[in-house]
Structures are given as C-alpha cells and as structure tokens.
Amino acid sequence: MVPDWSVANREDRVRVYMVSPGSLGEVVGELSGVDRSGCSVTEGYYTDTRASGKVRTVGDDGYVEHAWLRIVHEVPSLGYAEEMLTGPVSAVDVETGGGVTSREYAVESSLYAIKDDLMASGWTIGTNATLRSFCESVLTTCQRPHDLSAMCGRVFRSPVTYERGESALHMILDACGDTDRVSVDGHGVITVSAYVPPSSREPSQDVDPASARSVVIGAVRTSDSAETVPGRVVYVAGSGDREMSATADAPASWPSSSARRGYMVARKESDSTSDVTWDQLRAKAESALKAAQDPGRKHELTVAWQAWHQGDVVRIKLRGTWRKCLVQSVEDDLGSMTQRVTLKEE
C-alpha cells in the first residue's frame, strides 16, 4: 500500500547497505556516517542503464572494498521501507579537510554491470528460438540475477547474429526491440517484461499544481518541439535511374500542415530496398508522417516526495486540461525528500 506522503512530521531515513556482488541477498554491512543531503537517485526511462545514484558519507564509514551498495528509504512510523537502488560502485571521490574525511560514492545499476561485459564469442539466435531463452542464456553467462516471468514469449522467425565483442546489455536491448522492456528493480534484479505503451496504461495519480493541497513545489516549465514536426515526408528508394520517391502531406486540419503553420517543414526518409513499388513507398511515407506528429511536449517540475519512478504514468492539470504523462525521468533528492521530474505527454 502506498503511504500518505502528506503526513505531517514524517521521519524519513536513508540507510545504505553493503551487499555481496555475487549474492544480492547477502548483506555484509551498513555504511555509517551517511549524509542524506549528499544522497540522490536518478532514473531515466530512455537511458540504457535506467538508474544511478550518489551516496555521501562523513568520517570512517566502514566501506568494504568491491561491495555493492543498496540505498533504502525508510519511514519507521508508517512501517515503510523501499529498496531504491542496488548496484556496483563506479567511482569514489574522497575529500579531507579540518580533520574530517568525506566520501562520495557513484552507484550504478545492475544493467550498468553488463554494459561493458563484452562477449568473448559470437552469439546466434536460431530460427524458432525464443527471446526468453536468449535473455536467460546471456544473463546467466553474466551471472546476473534476473526475472523473466512477465516476458511476452516472442519467437524469432529468422536467425539473428551478434559478433564477438558485443556488449551483453546491447544484445539484450536490441533483441527485445519494441516487444519487451528491459529494466532493473531496487534489489538489483534485472527484469524483462512485455512492453505496454504508456498511452495504454491508467494513471496512478492526479496532480493539480493549482490546488491548495498541491504536491508541486514552485513553477511548472513546459516545452515541446511542435515547430519541427514535419508537415510533409518525402520517401526515396533506389538510386540513379532507378530512384523513385513518394510524398505524403499533412491534411490542412493538422497543426503541422503548411495551411496552419504558414510554411512547410519537410523531412526526407530513405529506403534501401530497390524493388519497392510506388504504392508501397507512398504507404511508407504516410506511415512515417503519422508517426512523426508527436510534438514531444514535456513538463518539468519539482514535487514533494511521491515515490515516483521512471515508467510511472500520472495525470497533471495544466491550463484547465488534464494531461496524461509518462514519468520520463526522476531526480530524487534524499536530503530534502523532493523529486525533480520530467513528465512526457502521451
């Protein structure tokens, strides 16, 4: 159950545990002297490794070399505890002054741990092989705990080959494509699950910045790329004497049309296929034009702690209209217990 984050005088605690790299369930100690004001977690929906963090300590913190760190947020009065990030330490900055030593640890996710794990030999996904069996093989080879229980069960109809020296993370992201979503949970377990478009999911929370009880702190900044959305796509295929093209124009009622905008913004697309027909090329132009109409409207704001994560879907009311949004990125400030978020309209 999600706690009521508006509870007055709530006591938040941040604890940082050291865990064994080879066994995420094995806690080998807890960092002492954790300075909450220097602790943060950052998540990104479109970043390959999904999450990272920083931990600051003051004094002799007892860090065990090579231990992974687990950042945990607790609210004892509510019986609440959440593992926010578990992963390897990629860097440690040490500062000494006035007889006091402070350290800042850069903490990464389990996906970061397989980003530079380059395969010593090539991999081939055979015809009729399942995506699940491929992900299972790669993650087992990398010795990374994983949960594949929610995958979509895709089957490959033709072979796919990855050359020697490919990154394990790149291979999994590429193979999953747009059918499955690769992520990681707070315990450090890599997850792969069937992809569900944010536009198809129900919002988990409504936010009204104008409300007297609003969780929004300060202003909301909105931006988009509406002026670069094309009103025409020119699709070209072939070359030389065999080159052909097809064009698709936005209807006059579309915001991207030259009739509405007052000038034309066009985009050129290319097709390497030489035997495509004009009708096929025309269909591709129309499809590309339709797919390019999203203005990419985003809203940046800071909220009092809501425990939002990348990939959540919420609604925000702006200028009298409720807007369904994907939580694209989150920057958690564990000192002030606020979240700086970017919401992308869906």
Side-chain angles (χ1 to χ4, degrees):
M1 182 176 178
V2 178
D4 178 3
W5 297 114
S6 65
V7 172
N9 301 317
R10 186 185 78 233
E11 180 190 2
D12 293 278
R13 293 180 185 174
V14 174
R15 304 179 73 173
V16 182
Y17 297 97
M18 294 173 283
V19 300
S20 169
S23 178
L24 298 182
E26 181 183 349
V27 176
V28 298
E30 181 177 355
L31 286 186
S32 60
V34 173
D35 177 10
R36 259 182 54 190
S37 67
C39 296
S40 62
V41 174
T42 301
E43 302 180 21
Y45 188 78
Y46 296 110
T47 60
D48 287 350
T49 57
R50 310 306 188 208
S52 62
K54 290 182 180 179
V55 171
R56 184 175 185 269
T57 63
V58 179
D60 183 8
D61 59 21
Y63 177 68
V64 176
E65 188 176 16
H66 299 308
W68 284 25
L69 296 183
R70 174 171 295 144
I71 303 172
V72 180
H73 170 217
E74 296 180 349
V75 185
S77 63
L78 301 178
Y80 175 86
E82 180 189 9
E83 296 175 339
M84 301 184 66
L85 174 66
T86 301
V89 174
S90 62
V92 183
D93 289 336
V94 182
E95 182 179 315
T96 302
V100 178
T101 298
S102 63
R103 295 173 176 83
E104 183 179 87
Y105 298 86
V107 187
E108 310 295 343
S109 75
S110 290
L111 291 173
Y112 173 93
I114 65 172
K115 178 175 71 72
D116 294 324
D117 193 344
L118 309 185
M119 298 293 98
S121 59
W123 286 68
T124 297
I125 306 174
T127 302
N128 295 325
T130 64
L131 176 61
R132 178 169 183 161
S133 64
F134 172 71
C135 292
E136 178 79 38
S137 296
V138 173
L139 293 172
T140 299
T141 298
C142 296
Q143 300 182 347
R144 293 269 50 89
H146 50 274
D147 180 0
L148 312 180
S149 60
M151 292 187 69
C152 73
R154 176 179 157 210
V155 176
F156 289 85
R157 299 307 179 191
S158 58
V160 177
T161 300
Y162 295 101
E163 301 295 330
R164 179 185 293 110
E166 286 279 11
S167 157
L169 179 57
H170 167 75
M171 287 165 42
I172 290 177
L173 290 173
D174 181 74
C176 286
D178 58 4
T179 64
D180 288 79
R181 168 116 179 128
V182 181
S183 196
V184 62
D185 67 17
H187 194 71
V189 176
I190 293 174
T191 63
V192 185
S193 55
Y195 173 69
V196 179
S199 58
S200 300
R201 292 190 271 132
E202 290 301 313
S204 61
Q205 187 173 341
D206 286 345
V207 176
D208 182 358
S211 168
R213 295 176 56 84
S214 175
V215 299
V216 177
I217 302 172
V220 178
R221 180 179 181 273
T222 300
S223 62
D224 63 39
S225 54
E227 298 310 315
T228 63
V229 170
R232 171 181 295 159
V233 167
V234 179
Y235 225 105
V236 180
S239 60
D241 294 340
R242 301 192 64 181
E243 182 180 277
M244 83 170 95
S245 66
T247 302
D249 282 4
S253 60
W254 286 17
S256 63
S257 70
S258 59
R260 294 278 297 275
R261 184 179 272 151
Y263 62 97
M264 176 60 73
V265 174
R267 178 180 301 173
K268 180 180 178 181
E269 301 280 356
S270 299
D271 193 309
S272 58
T273 306
S274 58
D275 59 354
V276 64
T277 67
W278 185 87
D279 286 339
Q280 291 172 328
L281 204 59
R282 168 72 178 178
K284 289 187 175 185
E286 291 177 343
S287 178
L289 178 66
K290 184 177 180 180
Q293 296 307 301
D294 181 3
R297 186 168 294 111
K298 298 178 182 180
H299 311 287
E300 296 180 2
L301 59 151
T302 297
V303 295
W305 190 261
Q306 300 300 302
W308 288 351
H309 295 286
Q310 57 86 12
D312 288 345
V313 174
V314 300
R315 285 202 316 167
I316 186 169
K317 190 174 186 180
L318 294 171
R319 295 174 288 282
T321 302
W322 285 103
R323 303 165 190 268
K324 185 177 180 180
C325 298
L326 165 73
V327 179
Q328 178 178 318
S329 66
V330 185
E331 298 176 19
D332 297 328
D333 185 329
L334 300 179
S336 63
M337 296 309 296
T338 59
Q339 297 184 291
R340 179 68 180 173
V341 299
T342 298
L343 305 180
K344 179 181 179 296
E345 283 195 25
E346 293 297 315

